[in-house]
Amino acid sequence: MFVVAAIVICFDGAAKVVQGCHPTSKALHICLNIYLEKDFPLIETFVKSRRQGRVLLEDPDLQNICRHIASLNECYNSLWRECTSYWQVERYSRLIHLISSTHSYLCSNTTDVLKEVLLNTDCMSRAKPYIANCSSTGFDWMMTWKQILRMQVSPEDRCQALGNYKTCLARQLVNIPCGKESTRVYGNLIEVWLKNWCDKDSSPSSAMKYFYHPATFTSN
């Protein structure tokens, strides 16, 4: 089992429990850093190969990425019970639910969706001049997801911006040759975040609301 211990030894030798579900938690950052060290080199290599006209992505690579997301989820799950307030439980439960739902969306039964997301990074790269202004809505694709995983931003901080970013992508990519496919692929991924982190139905008739639906956890 992939577990990061949430215990530190104080200078006097006493064991002290580290709260693992707040932005300054060392244990939480260890979980994320281990994930980034595993996945980023592989993903960066793939993105570079796409730009050079080569595809270096095989099913075992996709399976590894899925396993790393599952390990991140398990690592975060090992910390959530150390939340000490309702505010921490509420925010951390949302985060755990987001990671679990993202893993299910990308990796459940097949890795086809994950492969689509990675293949469309090339289109998003070529479309940068067209979608640059979308980040002015308050959501930056390269930064915000890390801030979410580090608990540096809350749904109230970013959910409206996330919905605006999705709308902006659809508008700006419409005249790009690969834009229709990328709009579908990344729009669906953003929808997973909206539904599972923001608890929001992003249909035009739905108002922005932040209702908390507790995630279900099982212990081994």
Side-chain angles (χ1 to χ4, degrees), residues 47-53 55 116-132 169 172-173 175-182 186:
V47 170
K48 289 178 181 178
S49 71
R50 285 285 294 168
R51 291 173 182 169
Q52 296 168 3
V55 178
E116 280 188 328
V117 170
L118 293 174
L119 288 175
N120 276 273
T121 57
D122 182 52
C123 181
M124 295 291 280
S125 178
R126 285 186 278 129
K128 275 185 178 180
Y130 301 91
I131 65 176
L169 278 186
Q172 297 299 106
L173 291 175
N175 294 319
I176 307 298
C178 58
K180 184 177 181 180
E181 178 69 3
S182 288
Y186 285 96

PDB file of all heavy atoms in Angstrom, residues 47-53 55 116-132 169 172-173 175-182 186:
ATOM      1  N   VAL A  47       4.964  14.795 -24.804  1.00  0.00           N
ATOM      2  CA  VAL A  47       4.581  16.068 -25.418  1.00  0.00           C
ATOM      3  C   VAL A  47       5.659  16.532 -26.391  1.00  0.00           C
ATOM      4  O   VAL A  47       5.364  16.989 -27.503  1.00  0.00           O
ATOM      5  CB  VAL A  47       4.324  17.137 -24.337  1.00  0.00           C
ATOM      6  CG1 VAL A  47       4.165  18.514 -24.962  1.00  0.00           C
ATOM      7  CG2 VAL A  47       3.082  16.770 -23.523  1.00  0.00           C
ATOM      8  N   LYS A  48       6.927  16.404 -26.003  1.00  0.00           N
ATOM      9  CA  LYS A  48       8.024  16.799 -26.896  1.00  0.00           C
ATOM     10  C   LYS A  48       8.053  15.937 -28.146  1.00  0.00           C
ATOM     11  O   LYS A  48       8.302  16.424 -29.252  1.00  0.00           O
ATOM     12  CB  LYS A  48       9.355  16.704 -26.154  1.00  0.00           C
ATOM     13  CG  LYS A  48       9.544  17.775 -25.081  1.00  0.00           C
ATOM     14  CD  LYS A  48      10.859  17.594 -24.353  1.00  0.00           C
ATOM     15  CE  LYS A  48      11.032  18.643 -23.262  1.00  0.00           C
ATOM     16  NZ  LYS A  48      12.294  18.458 -22.507  1.00  0.00           N
ATOM     17  N   SER A  49       7.795  14.654 -28.002  1.00  0.00           N
ATOM     18  CA  SER A  49       7.811  13.757 -29.154  1.00  0.00           C
ATOM     19  C   SER A  49       6.681  14.091 -30.120  1.00  0.00           C
ATOM     20  O   SER A  49       6.830  13.982 -31.331  1.00  0.00           O
ATOM     21  CB  SER A  49       7.710  12.293 -28.709  1.00  0.00           C
ATOM     22  OG  SER A  49       6.418  11.990 -28.212  1.00  0.00           O
ATOM     23  N   ARG A  50       5.533  14.530 -29.592  1.00  0.00           N
ATOM     24  CA  ARG A  50       4.421  14.926 -30.445  1.00  0.00           C
ATOM     25  C   ARG A  50       4.800  16.150 -31.275  1.00  0.00           C
ATOM     26  O   ARG A  50       4.483  16.234 -32.464  1.00  0.00           O
ATOM     27  CB  ARG A  50       3.196  15.255 -29.588  1.00  0.00           C
ATOM     28  CG  ARG A  50       2.491  14.038 -29.010  1.00  0.00           C
ATOM     29  CD  ARG A  50       1.687  13.301 -30.049  1.00  0.00           C
ATOM     30  NE  ARG A  50       0.579  14.110 -30.527  1.00  0.00           N
ATOM     31  CZ  ARG A  50      -0.151  13.805 -31.588  1.00  0.00           C
ATOM     32  NH1 ARG A  50       0.133  12.741 -32.315  1.00  0.00           N
ATOM     33  NH2 ARG A  50      -1.163  14.566 -31.971  1.00  0.00           N
ATOM     34  N   ARG A  51       5.485  17.100 -30.656  1.00  0.00           N
ATOM     35  CA  ARG A  51       5.869  18.311 -31.368  1.00  0.00           C
ATOM     36  C   ARG A  51       6.861  18.004 -32.477  1.00  0.00           C
ATOM     37  O   ARG A  51       6.926  18.717 -33.478  1.00  0.00           O
ATOM     38  CB  ARG A  51       6.480  19.317 -30.389  1.00  0.00           C
ATOM     39  CG  ARG A  51       5.473  19.899 -29.396  1.00  0.00           C
ATOM     40  CD  ARG A  51       6.154  20.741 -28.350  1.00  0.00           C
ATOM     41  NE  ARG A  51       5.202  21.267 -27.372  1.00  0.00           N
ATOM     42  CZ  ARG A  51       5.557  21.856 -26.243  1.00  0.00           C
ATOM     43  NH1 ARG A  51       6.846  22.025 -25.949  1.00  0.00           N
ATOM     44  NH2 ARG A  51       4.633  22.285 -25.400  1.00  0.00           N
ATOM     45  N   GLN A  52       7.640  16.929 -32.308  1.00  0.00           N
ATOM     46  CA  GLN A  52       8.637  16.553 -33.305  1.00  0.00           C
ATOM     47  C   GLN A  52       8.099  15.525 -34.301  1.00  0.00           C
ATOM     48  O   GLN A  52       8.843  14.976 -35.109  1.00  0.00           O
ATOM     49  CB  GLN A  52       9.870  15.988 -32.592  1.00  0.00           C
ATOM     50  CG  GLN A  52      10.574  17.017 -31.703  1.00  0.00           C
ATOM     51  CD  GLN A  52      11.605  16.398 -30.797  1.00  0.00           C
ATOM     52  OE1 GLN A  52      11.856  15.195 -30.840  1.00  0.00           O
ATOM     53  NE2 GLN A  52      12.208  17.219 -29.942  1.00  0.00           N
ATOM     54  N   GLY A  53       6.796  15.264 -34.228  1.00  0.00           N
ATOM     55  CA  GLY A  53       6.179  14.357 -35.181  1.00  0.00           C
ATOM     56  C   GLY A  53       6.300  12.891 -34.824  1.00  0.00           C
ATOM     57  O   GLY A  53       5.979  12.023 -35.645  1.00  0.00           O
ATOM     58  N   VAL A  55       5.349   9.728 -31.998  1.00  0.00           N
ATOM     59  CA  VAL A  55       4.459   9.350 -30.910  1.00  0.00           C
ATOM     60  C   VAL A  55       5.119   8.225 -30.127  1.00  0.00           C
ATOM     61  O   VAL A  55       5.347   7.139 -30.645  1.00  0.00           O
ATOM     62  CB  VAL A  55       3.083   8.888 -31.441  1.00  0.00           C
ATOM     63  CG1 VAL A  55       2.197   8.450 -30.280  1.00  0.00           C
ATOM     64  CG2 VAL A  55       2.408  10.004 -32.225  1.00  0.00           C
ATOM     65  N   GLU A 116      -6.599  10.203 -25.420  1.00  0.00           N
ATOM     66  CA  GLU A 116      -7.141  11.355 -26.143  1.00  0.00           C
ATOM     67  C   GLU A 116      -6.637  12.671 -25.543  1.00  0.00           C
ATOM     68  O   GLU A 116      -6.279  13.593 -26.277  1.00  0.00           O
ATOM     69  CB  GLU A 116      -8.674  11.334 -26.093  1.00  0.00           C
ATOM     70  CG  GLU A 116      -9.326  10.408 -27.083  1.00  0.00           C
ATOM     71  CD  GLU A 116     -10.837  10.589 -27.097  1.00  0.00           C
ATOM     72  OE1 GLU A 116     -11.418  10.912 -26.046  1.00  0.00           O
ATOM     73  OE2 GLU A 116     -11.426  10.420 -28.179  1.00  0.00           O
ATOM     74  N   VAL A 117      -6.655  12.746 -24.221  1.00  0.00           N
ATOM     75  CA  VAL A 117      -6.191  13.967 -23.554  1.00  0.00           C
ATOM     76  C   VAL A 117      -4.741  14.256 -23.908  1.00  0.00           C
ATOM     77  O   VAL A 117      -4.377  15.392 -24.246  1.00  0.00           O
ATOM     78  CB  VAL A 117      -6.353  13.838 -22.021  1.00  0.00           C
ATOM     79  CG1 VAL A 117      -5.645  14.985 -21.307  1.00  0.00           C
ATOM     80  CG2 VAL A 117      -7.833  13.822 -21.638  1.00  0.00           C
ATOM     81  N   LEU A 118      -3.904  13.224 -23.875  1.00  0.00           N
ATOM     82  CA  LEU A 118      -2.481  13.418 -24.173  1.00  0.00           C
ATOM     83  C   LEU A 118      -2.245  13.729 -25.643  1.00  0.00           C
ATOM     84  O   LEU A 118      -1.415  14.570 -25.989  1.00  0.00           O
ATOM     85  CB  LEU A 118      -1.696  12.180 -23.750  1.00  0.00           C
ATOM     86  CG  LEU A 118      -1.638  11.926 -22.237  1.00  0.00           C
ATOM     87  CD1 LEU A 118      -0.956  10.598 -21.945  1.00  0.00           C
ATOM     88  CD2 LEU A 118      -0.916  13.059 -21.523  1.00  0.00           C
ATOM     89  N   LEU A 119      -2.968  13.065 -26.526  1.00  0.00           N
ATOM     90  CA  LEU A 119      -2.797  13.319 -27.956  1.00  0.00           C
ATOM     91  C   LEU A 119      -3.186  14.740 -28.327  1.00  0.00           C
ATOM     92  O   LEU A 119      -2.630  15.332 -29.249  1.00  0.00           O
ATOM     93  CB  LEU A 119      -3.619  12.319 -28.780  1.00  0.00           C
ATOM     94  CG  LEU A 119      -3.107  10.877 -28.817  1.00  0.00           C
ATOM     95  CD1 LEU A 119      -4.086   9.972 -29.562  1.00  0.00           C
ATOM     96  CD2 LEU A 119      -1.730  10.802 -29.475  1.00  0.00           C
ATOM     97  N   ASN A 120      -4.150  15.303 -27.614  1.00  0.00           N
ATOM     98  CA  ASN A 120      -4.618  16.651 -27.930  1.00  0.00           C
ATOM     99  C   ASN A 120      -3.772  17.754 -27.307  1.00  0.00           C
ATOM    100  O   ASN A 120      -4.071  18.933 -27.507  1.00  0.00           O
ATOM    101  CB  ASN A 120      -6.084  16.809 -27.524  1.00  0.00           C
ATOM    102  CG  ASN A 120      -7.044  16.305 -28.591  1.00  0.00           C
ATOM    103  OD1 ASN A 120      -7.417  17.032 -29.505  1.00  0.00           O
ATOM    104  ND2 ASN A 120      -7.428  15.043 -28.478  1.00  0.00           N
ATOM    105  N   THR A 121      -2.727  17.388 -26.569  1.00  0.00           N
ATOM    106  CA  THR A 121      -1.823  18.423 -26.062  1.00  0.00           C
ATOM    107  C   THR A 121      -1.142  19.158 -27.214  1.00  0.00           C
ATOM    108  O   THR A 121      -0.833  20.347 -27.100  1.00  0.00           O
ATOM    109  CB  THR A 121      -0.745  17.816 -25.148  1.00  0.00           C
ATOM    110  OG1 THR A 121      -0.019  16.801 -25.859  1.00  0.00           O
ATOM    111  CG2 THR A 121      -1.364  17.217 -23.893  1.00  0.00           C
ATOM    112  N   ASP A 122      -0.927  18.455 -28.309  1.00  0.00           N
ATOM    113  CA  ASP A 122      -0.294  19.080 -29.472  1.00  0.00           C
ATOM    114  C   ASP A 122      -1.182  20.178 -30.043  1.00  0.00           C
ATOM    115  O   ASP A 122      -0.712  21.274 -30.374  1.00  0.00           O
ATOM    116  CB  ASP A 122      -0.008  18.022 -30.539  1.00  0.00           C
ATOM    117  CG  ASP A 122       0.707  18.598 -31.754  1.00  0.00           C
ATOM    118  OD1 ASP A 122       1.742  19.273 -31.570  1.00  0.00           O
ATOM    119  OD2 ASP A 122       0.236  18.384 -32.887  1.00  0.00           O
ATOM    120  N   CYS A 123      -2.472  19.912 -30.139  1.00  0.00           N
ATOM    121  CA  CYS A 123      -3.408  20.915 -30.637  1.00  0.00           C
ATOM    122  C   CYS A 123      -3.452  22.119 -29.705  1.00  0.00           C
ATOM    123  O   CYS A 123      -3.435  23.268 -30.162  1.00  0.00           O
ATOM    124  CB  CYS A 123      -4.805  20.314 -30.765  1.00  0.00           C
ATOM    125  SG  CYS A 123      -6.050  21.469 -31.397  1.00  0.00           S
ATOM    126  N   MET A 124      -3.494  21.864 -28.394  1.00  0.00           N
ATOM    127  CA  MET A 124      -3.541  22.958 -27.430  1.00  0.00           C
ATOM    128  C   MET A 124      -2.278  23.815 -27.501  1.00  0.00           C
ATOM    129  O   MET A 124      -2.326  25.029 -27.332  1.00  0.00           O
ATOM    130  CB  MET A 124      -3.726  22.400 -26.028  1.00  0.00           C
ATOM    131  CG  MET A 124      -5.055  21.692 -25.810  1.00  0.00           C
ATOM    132  SD  MET A 124      -6.468  22.815 -25.831  1.00  0.00           S
ATOM    133  CE  MET A 124      -6.352  23.484 -24.171  1.00  0.00           C
ATOM    134  N   SER A 125      -1.157  23.157 -27.789  1.00  0.00           N
ATOM    135  CA  SER A 125       0.097  23.891 -27.919  1.00  0.00           C
ATOM    136  C   SER A 125       0.064  24.801 -29.140  1.00  0.00           C
ATOM    137  O   SER A 125       0.473  25.966 -29.077  1.00  0.00           O
ATOM    138  CB  SER A 125       1.263  22.906 -28.016  1.00  0.00           C
ATOM    139  OG  SER A 125       2.487  23.589 -28.183  1.00  0.00           O
ATOM    140  N   ARG A 126      -0.438  24.275 -30.256  1.00  0.00           N
ATOM    141  CA  ARG A 126      -0.512  25.073 -31.480  1.00  0.00           C
ATOM    142  C   ARG A 126      -1.555  26.188 -31.384  1.00  0.00           C
ATOM    143  O   ARG A 126      -1.472  27.200 -32.101  1.00  0.00           O
ATOM    144  CB  ARG A 126      -0.830  24.164 -32.670  1.00  0.00           C
ATOM    145  CG  ARG A 126       0.358  23.319 -33.117  1.00  0.00           C
ATOM    146  CD  ARG A 126       0.071  22.546 -34.379  1.00  0.00           C
ATOM    147  NE  ARG A 126      -0.657  21.317 -34.105  1.00  0.00           N
ATOM    148  CZ  ARG A 126      -1.774  20.943 -34.712  1.00  0.00           C
ATOM    149  NH1 ARG A 126      -2.309  21.733 -35.623  1.00  0.00           N
ATOM    150  NH2 ARG A 126      -2.363  19.803 -34.433  1.00  0.00           N
ATOM    151  N   ALA A 127      -2.521  26.001 -30.498  1.00  0.00           N
ATOM    152  CA  ALA A 127      -3.603  26.985 -30.363  1.00  0.00           C
ATOM    153  C   ALA A 127      -3.303  28.054 -29.314  1.00  0.00           C
ATOM    154  O   ALA A 127      -4.154  28.903 -29.038  1.00  0.00           O
ATOM    155  CB  ALA A 127      -4.899  26.267 -30.004  1.00  0.00           C
ATOM    156  N   LYS A 128      -2.099  28.036 -28.743  1.00  0.00           N
ATOM    157  CA  LYS A 128      -1.768  28.983 -27.664  1.00  0.00           C
ATOM    158  C   LYS A 128      -2.093  30.434 -28.004  1.00  0.00           C
ATOM    159  O   LYS A 128      -2.639  31.164 -27.157  1.00  0.00           O
ATOM    160  CB  LYS A 128      -0.293  28.848 -27.283  1.00  0.00           C
ATOM    161  CG  LYS A 128      -0.020  27.749 -26.264  1.00  0.00           C
ATOM    162  CD  LYS A 128       1.443  27.751 -25.847  1.00  0.00           C
ATOM    163  CE  LYS A 128       1.710  26.677 -24.800  1.00  0.00           C
ATOM    164  NZ  LYS A 128       3.138  26.670 -24.383  1.00  0.00           N
ATOM    165  N   PRO A 129      -1.758  30.923 -29.209  1.00  0.00           N
ATOM    166  CA  PRO A 129      -2.066  32.334 -29.509  1.00  0.00           C
ATOM    167  C   PRO A 129      -3.560  32.631 -29.434  1.00  0.00           C
ATOM    168  O   PRO A 129      -3.951  33.770 -29.169  1.00  0.00           O
ATOM    169  CB  PRO A 129      -1.538  32.511 -30.936  1.00  0.00           C
ATOM    170  CG  PRO A 129      -0.503  31.446 -31.103  1.00  0.00           C
ATOM    171  CD  PRO A 129      -1.018  30.277 -30.323  1.00  0.00           C
ATOM    172  N   TYR A 130      -4.395  31.618 -29.683  1.00  0.00           N
ATOM    173  CA  TYR A 130      -5.837  31.825 -29.713  1.00  0.00           C
ATOM    174  C   TYR A 130      -6.472  31.708 -28.324  1.00  0.00           C
ATOM    175  O   TYR A 130      -7.492  32.347 -28.058  1.00  0.00           O
ATOM    176  CB  TYR A 130      -6.504  30.810 -30.651  1.00  0.00           C
ATOM    177  CG  TYR A 130      -6.004  30.887 -32.069  1.00  0.00           C
ATOM    178  CD1 TYR A 130      -4.933  30.105 -32.499  1.00  0.00           C
ATOM    179  CD2 TYR A 130      -6.603  31.754 -32.992  1.00  0.00           C
ATOM    180  CE1 TYR A 130      -4.474  30.176 -33.803  1.00  0.00           C
ATOM    181  CE2 TYR A 130      -6.140  31.833 -34.308  1.00  0.00           C
ATOM    182  CZ  TYR A 130      -5.071  31.040 -34.696  1.00  0.00           C
ATOM    183  OH  TYR A 130      -4.605  31.121 -35.992  1.00  0.00           O
ATOM    184  N   ILE A 131      -5.877  30.894 -27.471  1.00  0.00           N
ATOM    185  CA  ILE A 131      -6.496  30.634 -26.167  1.00  0.00           C
ATOM    186  C   ILE A 131      -5.775  31.327 -25.010  1.00  0.00           C
ATOM    187  O   ILE A 131      -6.145  31.145 -23.854  1.00  0.00           O
ATOM    188  CB  ILE A 131      -6.571  29.123 -25.884  1.00  0.00           C
ATOM    189  CG1 ILE A 131      -5.171  28.512 -25.764  1.00  0.00           C
ATOM    190  CG2 ILE A 131      -7.385  28.411 -26.955  1.00  0.00           C
ATOM    191  CD1 ILE A 131      -5.178  27.034 -25.378  1.00  0.00           C
ATOM    192  N   ALA A 132      -4.748  32.126 -25.335  1.00  0.00           N
ATOM    193  CA  ALA A 132      -3.972  32.779 -24.272  1.00  0.00           C
ATOM    194  C   ALA A 132      -4.859  33.617 -23.362  1.00  0.00           C
ATOM    195  O   ALA A 132      -4.693  33.631 -22.133  1.00  0.00           O
ATOM    196  CB  ALA A 132      -2.872  33.650 -24.889  1.00  0.00           C
ATOM    197  N   LEU A 169     -12.555  28.314 -24.151  1.00  0.00           N
ATOM    198  CA  LEU A 169     -11.919  27.331 -25.038  1.00  0.00           C
ATOM    199  C   LEU A 169     -12.814  27.010 -26.222  1.00  0.00           C
ATOM    200  O   LEU A 169     -12.365  26.987 -27.373  1.00  0.00           O
ATOM    201  CB  LEU A 169     -11.607  26.038 -24.275  1.00  0.00           C
ATOM    202  CG  LEU A 169     -10.351  25.958 -23.431  1.00  0.00           C
ATOM    203  CD1 LEU A 169     -10.184  24.533 -22.900  1.00  0.00           C
ATOM    204  CD2 LEU A 169      -9.103  26.374 -24.210  1.00  0.00           C
ATOM    205  N   GLN A 172     -12.790  30.018 -28.637  1.00  0.00           N
ATOM    206  CA  GLN A 172     -11.529  30.354 -29.282  1.00  0.00           C
ATOM    207  C   GLN A 172     -11.004  29.239 -30.196  1.00  0.00           C
ATOM    208  O   GLN A 172     -10.246  29.506 -31.124  1.00  0.00           O
ATOM    209  CB  GLN A 172     -10.479  30.681 -28.228  1.00  0.00           C
ATOM    210  CG  GLN A 172     -10.791  31.908 -27.372  1.00  0.00           C
ATOM    211  CD  GLN A 172     -10.902  33.160 -28.219  1.00  0.00           C
ATOM    212  OE1 GLN A 172     -11.999  33.668 -28.454  1.00  0.00           O
ATOM    213  NE2 GLN A 172      -9.778  33.661 -28.698  1.00  0.00           N
ATOM    214  N   LEU A 173     -11.391  28.010 -29.937  1.00  0.00           N
ATOM    215  CA  LEU A 173     -10.871  26.894 -30.737  1.00  0.00           C
ATOM    216  C   LEU A 173     -11.737  26.574 -31.951  1.00  0.00           C
ATOM    217  O   LEU A 173     -11.378  25.705 -32.749  1.00  0.00           O
ATOM    218  CB  LEU A 173     -10.753  25.633 -29.868  1.00  0.00           C
ATOM    219  CG  LEU A 173      -9.678  25.640 -28.778  1.00  0.00           C
ATOM    220  CD1 LEU A 173      -9.780  24.377 -27.934  1.00  0.00           C
ATOM    221  CD2 LEU A 173      -8.293  25.755 -29.392  1.00  0.00           C
ATOM    222  N   ASN A 175     -12.275  27.868 -34.790  1.00  0.00           N
ATOM    223  CA  ASN A 175     -11.715  28.018 -36.137  1.00  0.00           C
ATOM    224  C   ASN A 175     -10.353  27.350 -36.314  1.00  0.00           C
ATOM    225  O   ASN A 175      -9.697  27.549 -37.339  1.00  0.00           O
ATOM    226  CB  ASN A 175     -11.600  29.513 -36.483  1.00  0.00           C
ATOM    227  CG  ASN A 175     -12.963  30.175 -36.600  1.00  0.00           C
ATOM    228  OD1 ASN A 175     -13.899  29.597 -37.158  1.00  0.00           O
ATOM    229  ND2 ASN A 175     -13.082  31.392 -36.074  1.00  0.00           N
ATOM    230  N   ILE A 176      -9.934  26.558 -35.327  1.00  0.00           N
ATOM    231  CA  ILE A 176      -8.684  25.811 -35.422  1.00  0.00           C
ATOM    232  C   ILE A 176      -8.980  24.432 -35.995  1.00  0.00           C
ATOM    233  O   ILE A 176      -9.959  23.797 -35.586  1.00  0.00           O
ATOM    234  CB  ILE A 176      -8.034  25.659 -34.026  1.00  0.00           C
ATOM    235  CG1 ILE A 176      -7.898  27.024 -33.344  1.00  0.00           C
ATOM    236  CG2 ILE A 176      -6.682  24.973 -34.123  1.00  0.00           C
ATOM    237  CD1 ILE A 176      -7.023  27.987 -34.080  1.00  0.00           C
ATOM    238  N   PRO A 177      -8.183  23.943 -36.959  1.00  0.00           N
ATOM    239  CA  PRO A 177      -8.471  22.638 -37.576  1.00  0.00           C
ATOM    240  C   PRO A 177      -8.699  21.513 -36.567  1.00  0.00           C
ATOM    241  O   PRO A 177      -9.570  20.675 -36.761  1.00  0.00           O
ATOM    242  CB  PRO A 177      -7.220  22.389 -38.428  1.00  0.00           C
ATOM    243  CG  PRO A 177      -6.745  23.757 -38.789  1.00  0.00           C
ATOM    244  CD  PRO A 177      -7.032  24.609 -37.588  1.00  0.00           C
ATOM    245  N   CYS A 178      -7.912  21.490 -35.513  1.00  0.00           N
ATOM    246  CA  CYS A 178      -8.054  20.427 -34.512  1.00  0.00           C
ATOM    247  C   CYS A 178      -8.909  20.869 -33.336  1.00  0.00           C
ATOM    248  O   CYS A 178      -9.057  20.129 -32.351  1.00  0.00           O
ATOM    249  CB  CYS A 178      -6.686  19.999 -34.005  1.00  0.00           C
ATOM    250  SG  CYS A 178      -5.719  21.354 -33.277  1.00  0.00           S
ATOM    251  N   GLY A 179      -9.472  22.073 -33.426  1.00  0.00           N
ATOM    252  CA  GLY A 179     -10.128  22.691 -32.285  1.00  0.00           C
ATOM    253  C   GLY A 179     -11.379  21.985 -31.818  1.00  0.00           C
ATOM    254  O   GLY A 179     -11.646  21.911 -30.620  1.00  0.00           O
ATOM    255  N   LYS A 180     -12.168  21.462 -32.731  1.00  0.00           N
ATOM    256  CA  LYS A 180     -13.416  20.804 -32.349  1.00  0.00           C
ATOM    257  C   LYS A 180     -13.149  19.599 -31.453  1.00  0.00           C
ATOM    258  O   LYS A 180     -13.829  19.405 -30.434  1.00  0.00           O
ATOM    259  CB  LYS A 180     -14.193  20.382 -33.594  1.00  0.00           C
ATOM    260  CG  LYS A 180     -15.552  19.785 -33.293  1.00  0.00           C
ATOM    261  CD  LYS A 180     -16.308  19.463 -34.575  1.00  0.00           C
ATOM    262  CE  LYS A 180     -17.689  18.881 -34.266  1.00  0.00           C
ATOM    263  NZ  LYS A 180     -18.440  18.565 -35.514  1.00  0.00           N
ATOM    264  N   GLU A 181     -12.156  18.799 -31.831  1.00  0.00           N
ATOM    265  CA  GLU A 181     -11.812  17.616 -31.041  1.00  0.00           C
ATOM    266  C   GLU A 181     -11.245  18.012 -29.679  1.00  0.00           C
ATOM    267  O   GLU A 181     -11.603  17.426 -28.653  1.00  0.00           O
ATOM    268  CB  GLU A 181     -10.800  16.765 -31.807  1.00  0.00           C
ATOM    269  CG  GLU A 181     -10.317  15.520 -31.072  1.00  0.00           C
ATOM    270  CD  GLU A 181     -11.390  14.458 -30.928  1.00  0.00           C
ATOM    271  OE1 GLU A 181     -12.508  14.653 -31.449  1.00  0.00           O
ATOM    272  OE2 GLU A 181     -11.115  13.440 -30.282  1.00  0.00           O
ATOM    273  N   SER A 182     -10.370  19.010 -29.656  1.00  0.00           N
ATOM    274  CA  SER A 182      -9.781  19.438 -28.385  1.00  0.00           C
ATOM    275  C   SER A 182     -10.818  20.060 -27.461  1.00  0.00           C
ATOM    276  O   SER A 182     -10.770  19.883 -26.238  1.00  0.00           O
ATOM    277  CB  SER A 182      -8.646  20.435 -28.631  1.00  0.00           C
ATOM    278  OG  SER A 182      -7.516  19.777 -29.169  1.00  0.00           O
ATOM    279  N   TYR A 186     -11.039  18.321 -23.836  1.00  0.00           N
ATOM    280  CA  TYR A 186     -10.718  19.094 -22.639  1.00  0.00           C
ATOM    281  C   TYR A 186     -11.978  19.644 -21.974  1.00  0.00           C
ATOM    282  O   TYR A 186     -12.011  19.821 -20.753  1.00  0.00           O
ATOM    283  CB  TYR A 186      -9.734  20.207 -22.972  1.00  0.00           C
ATOM    284  CG  TYR A 186      -8.338  19.673 -23.169  1.00  0.00           C
ATOM    285  CD1 TYR A 186      -7.842  19.389 -24.429  1.00  0.00           C
ATOM    286  CD2 TYR A 186      -7.531  19.393 -22.072  1.00  0.00           C
ATOM    287  CE1 TYR A 186      -6.567  18.864 -24.609  1.00  0.00           C
ATOM    288  CE2 TYR A 186      -6.265  18.865 -22.230  1.00  0.00           C
ATOM    289  CZ  TYR A 186      -5.788  18.603 -23.503  1.00  0.00           C
ATOM    290  OH  TYR A 186      -4.537  18.072 -23.664  1.00  0.00           O
TER     291      TYR A 186
END
